[in-house]
Amino acid sequence: MPQDSVDLIVTSPPYADSRKNTYGGISPDEYVEWFLPVAAELQRVLKPDGTFILNIKERVVDGERHTYVLELILALRQHGWIWTEEYIWHKKNSSPGKWPNRFRDAWERCLQFNKDKKFNMYQDNVRVPMGDWAKSRLKNLSETDKRRDNSKVGSGFGKKVSNWLGRDTVYPDNVLYLATETGNKNHSAAFPLELPAWFIKLFSKEGDLVLDPFLGSGTTAEAAKILGRKYLGIEQKEEYYQVAVANITSLNQEDTQPRLL
Amino acid sequence: MPQDSVDLIVTSPPYADSRKNTYGGISPDEYVEWFLPVAAELQRVLKPDGTFILNIKERVVDGERHTYVLELILALRQHGWIWTEEYIWHKKNSSPGKWPNRFRDAWERCLQFNKDKKFNMYQDNVRVPMGDWAKSRLKNLSETDKRRDNSKVGSGFGKKVSNWLGRDTVYPDNVLYLATETGNKNHSAAFPLELPAWFIKLFSKEGDLVLDPFLGSGTTAEAAKILGRKYLGIEQKEEYYQVAVANITSLNQEDTQPRLL
DNA sequence: GTTCCGCATGAATCGATAG
DNA sequence: ACTATCGATTCATGCGGAA
């Protein structure tokens, strides 16, 4: 691949040592070492104003959270990546289970890395409906606030409130509150379509190129296709590749578009 | 303080370089070095089956998340602490603001450290009401609901929905969804009472000793008092100490108990 | 006695300007 | 060339006073 050719990278690599029977299963202690050559190639092909989103969560090893994700962040910075932000994916329906020393794990990291401090971000593409507070708060402004609006002299007290009139969406924050995919995909990672879709809308525009170097069942490419982006996926396992191709080609644009927009 | 005398430590130390005009203001680059001597004392006084909860979040420095929290976790492990878990505090109302390169920050870390893999955890004390799904889901049980239905993905998970009949509370997960305190405390940290209260209920029992080495306006001690634990707080600034004493002594047990239980 | 309205304010961050 | 200060931006909550 040519250098500086990709607008956005969104990926969820195989987590260390997990899914051992379905994927390669990288040992936690070797995870950073295993990932760095990949990151170097990603850095080469990403445009200077592009973004790299890494969805990952550290395993529990021997009763303790392993530190390979922390070490990976530090290592990537050593190699020139900028650690711009850490988004949290807060899962509505996390895996069940009960243990004496911990609760169910309901969140994952979505790490944002950049090559440059200036990067493309299209914030208006991910505005969310205003919270419920607005309904009760802005419902009955009519009498007093209309008067305030008409008299533009002086106080400015009413101005703040009237600023909110007519708006129905606000900017989100850095926590994504999404359900996990309960679908029937033949791939063990529960990676909901909305997760890559959110980052694709936020960090790319139509016609841009989105890359997923660990394609898996093709969720990132599906989201990119639905959103009108070009997409490129890499997958080592023949069987996942076949699943991804099937998922992507069977996509019916008319069916899926309303789901995301 | 004698060694092995504290059952639980819950604290929210001054964040690096923030609150510069109210607190000392520790530089991000010196944060780990500044914290380690404190951590050593905490390790000394904590009981072997006790827990240390550290509420912290890294600042943005020069357009990038600083790494001092990651380095602090690694350093604490070097000094013998076990990094058992990372809870997330998902804030309902985060600080406002708009920037071209990031959204509002709506979460903080609550890091759990232990001296030993075996520690006290009273999970039943923090059960939460069952979600609304239960009402509709349990009304008409299907055939698969009455027996164990194994996951189709081969994960080994299964479910037996009929197990849920008659229950009205469930265990929570590792994400706490709380509002920040917008109250009138004369202390700049917005640390809601529910946050220390949750960990106090989870990791201590009545009569246990709870320590907060950075007491601030005394929220941890307030929660401990309400929940019938002994408490011990350390505060360097005379003015915060006075505020904390006032907050704690003015506590009316009858008023506050229903708020938390 | 209850609901509704007005308003202050919070672990923030960026970019421009001043020193 | 570097650091310090300041203005601008914006969402949700709770409290006090009014209806």
Side-chain angles (χ1 to χ4, degrees):
Chain A
M1 290 177 59
Q3 65 178 36
D4 299 348
S5 57
V6 173
D7 293 282
L8 172 62
I9 301 165
V10 180
T11 197
S12 186
Y15 295 0
D17 205 14
S18 69
R19 305 188 292 170
K20 207 180 281 178
N21 38 2
T22 55
Y23 236 115
I26 302 97
S27 148
D29 294 331
E30 301 161 359
Y31 199 84
V32 174
E33 193 184 351
W34 168 81
F35 196 86
L36 281 181
V38 180
E41 277 299 291
L42 299 181
Q43 198 166 20
R44 188 180 67 79
V45 301
L46 186 66
K47 288 184 184 172
D49 54 5
T51 291
F52 168 31
I53 297 293
L54 179 62
N55 167 232
I56 197 168
K57 180 68 188 265
E58 54 268 38
R59 284 197 66 209
V60 172
V61 176
D62 202 17
E64 175 177 30
R65 289 282 168 196
H66 201 280
T67 54
Y68 58 89
V69 175
L70 311 186
E71 287 155 15
L72 180 59
I73 295 172
L74 297 176
L76 290 176
R77 285 191 75 252
Q78 289 292 325
H79 287 78
W81 286 100
I82 294 174
W83 181 36
T84 305
E85 180 59 306
E86 178 169 349
Y87 291 83
I88 293 292
W89 170 26
H90 180 183
K91 304 181 194 180
K92 277 190 179 113
N93 50 342
S94 53
S95 286
K98 167 121 174 55
W99 302 269
N101 60 342
R102 63 184 63 248
F103 286 134
R104 296 175 302 135
D105 191 8
W107 65 278
E108 295 191 10
R109 309 178 193 277
C110 296
L111 304 167
Q112 177 190 351
F113 294 98
N114 291 96
K115 292 172 76 168
D116 198 280
K117 276 169 200 161
K118 294 286 292 176
F119 53 87
N120 296 322
M121 192 178 194
Y122 309 97
Q123 301 190 349
D124 285 325
N125 292 347
V126 292
R127 295 178 74 105
V128 293
M130 200 179 262
D132 286 336
W133 67 273
K135 290 187 188 64
S136 54
R137 185 67 192 78
L138 300 177
K139 193 169 51 182
N140 292 325
L141 295 177
S142 47
E143 293 306 319
T144 41
D145 283 284
K146 267 180 192 170
R147 259 186 285 136
R148 284 173 192 254
D149 278 343
N150 291 337
S151 69
K152 293 179 180 172
V153 201
S155 66
F157 283 121
K159 269 192 171 178
K160 278 185 187 172
V161 181
S162 63
N163 273 346
W164 296 103
L165 288 173
R167 293 200 205 174
D168 53 354
T169 57
V170 296
Y171 292 108
D173 53 44
N174 60 356
V175 178
L176 284 83
Y177 192 38
L178 303 174
T180 58
E181 197 85 10
T182 55
N184 43 10
K185 308 260 177 64
N186 293 318
H187 185 255
S188 51
F191 188 57
L193 195 58
E194 283 77 9
L195 192 64
W198 196 80
F199 289 110
I200 288 170
K201 285 186 284 186
L202 181 55
F203 291 118
S204 75
K205 56 185 191 305
E206 288 201 19
D208 278 359
L209 178 59
V210 178
L211 168 67
D212 186 346
F214 299 97
L215 189 63
S217 61
T219 313
T220 300
E222 284 184 76
K225 182 178 181 186
I226 293 170
L227 293 166
R229 273 70 168 172
K230 296 184 201 122
Y231 49 92
L232 195 53
I234 300 169
E235 175 54 51
Q236 193 180 37
K237 290 249 177 185
E238 175 68 19
E239 52 184 300
Y240 287 145
Y241 169 74
Q242 297 296 349
V243 172
V245 169
N247 283 334
I248 296 163
T249 51
S250 77
L251 257 190
N252 189 330
Q253 189 114 356
E254 295 82 84
D255 286 350
T256 46
Q257 188 93 7
R259 182 173 167 191
L260 282 173
L261 299 182
Chain B
M1 290 177 58
Q3 65 178 36
D4 298 348
S5 58
V6 172
D7 294 281
L8 172 63
I9 300 165
V10 180
T11 197
S12 187
Y15 293 3
D17 206 14
S18 71
R19 303 192 292 171
K20 206 181 282 178
N21 36 1
T22 55
Y23 241 114
I26 302 96
S27 149
D29 294 331
E30 302 162 357
Y31 199 85
V32 174
E33 192 184 354
W34 169 80
F35 195 85
L36 281 181
V38 179
E41 277 299 292
L42 298 181
Q43 198 166 20
R44 189 180 66 80
V45 301
L46 185 67
K47 287 184 185 174
D49 54 4
T51 290
F52 167 31
I53 297 293
L54 179 62
N55 166 231
I56 197 166
K57 180 66 189 265
E58 55 268 37
R59 286 196 64 206
V60 172
V61 176
D62 202 15
E64 176 178 30
R65 289 280 165 200
H66 201 281
T67 55
Y68 59 88
V69 175
L70 311 185
E71 287 155 15
L72 179 59
I73 295 172
L74 297 176
L76 290 176
R77 285 192 75 251
Q78 290 291 326
H79 287 77
W81 286 100
I82 295 174
W83 180 35
T84 305
E85 179 60 307
E86 177 170 348
Y87 291 84
I88 292 292
W89 170 25
H90 180 184
K91 303 182 195 180
K92 280 190 177 114
N93 51 340
S94 52
S95 283
K98 166 121 173 54
W99 308 273
N101 59 343
R102 64 182 65 249
F103 287 134
R104 299 176 304 133
D105 190 9
W107 64 277
E108 295 189 11
R109 309 177 192 277
C110 295
L111 303 166
Q112 177 190 352
F113 294 97
N114 291 96
K115 292 172 75 169
D116 198 279
K117 276 170 203 162
K118 294 287 292 177
F119 53 87
N120 295 322
M121 190 178 195
Y122 309 97
Q123 301 191 348
D124 286 324
N125 292 347
V126 292
R127 295 177 74 106
V128 293
M130 198 180 267
D132 287 336
W133 67 272
K135 292 186 188 62
S136 54
R137 184 71 183 81
L138 296 178
K139 204 156 47 181
N140 294 318
L141 290 183
S142 72
E143 276 310 305
T144 45
D145 287 342
K146 288 168 189 162
R147 54 181 164 80
R148 180 175 170 88
D149 189 32
N150 285 315
S151 162
K152 309 275 191 295
V153 215
S155 63
F157 283 118
K159 64 178 194 299
K160 189 175 175 186
V161 175
S162 54
N163 279 346
W164 297 99
L165 286 172
R167 296 197 203 176
D168 53 352
T169 58
V170 296
Y171 292 109
D173 53 43
N174 60 357
V175 178
L176 285 81
Y177 190 42
L178 304 173
T180 58
E181 200 87 11
T182 56
N184 42 8
K185 307 253 179 70
N186 295 319
H187 184 257
S188 51
F191 189 58
L193 195 59
E194 283 77 9
L195 193 64
W198 194 80
F199 289 110
I200 288 170
K201 285 187 284 188
L202 182 55
F203 291 118
S204 75
K205 56 185 191 305
E206 289 200 18
D208 278 359
L209 178 59
V210 178
L211 167 67
D212 186 345
F214 299 97
L215 189 63
S217 60
T219 313
T220 300
E222 284 185 76
K225 182 178 181 184
I226 293 169
L227 293 165
R229 273 70 167 173
K230 297 182 201 124
Y231 48 92
L232 196 53
I234 300 169
E235 175 53 51
Q236 193 180 35
K237 291 250 178 185
E238 174 70 19
E239 52 184 300
Y240 288 147
Y241 169 73
Q242 297 296 349
V243 171
V245 168
N247 283 335
I248 296 163
T249 51
S250 76
L251 257 190
N252 190 330
Q253 189 115 356
E254 294 83 81
D255 287 350
T256 45
Q257 188 93 6
R259 182 173 167 194
L260 283 172
L261 298 182

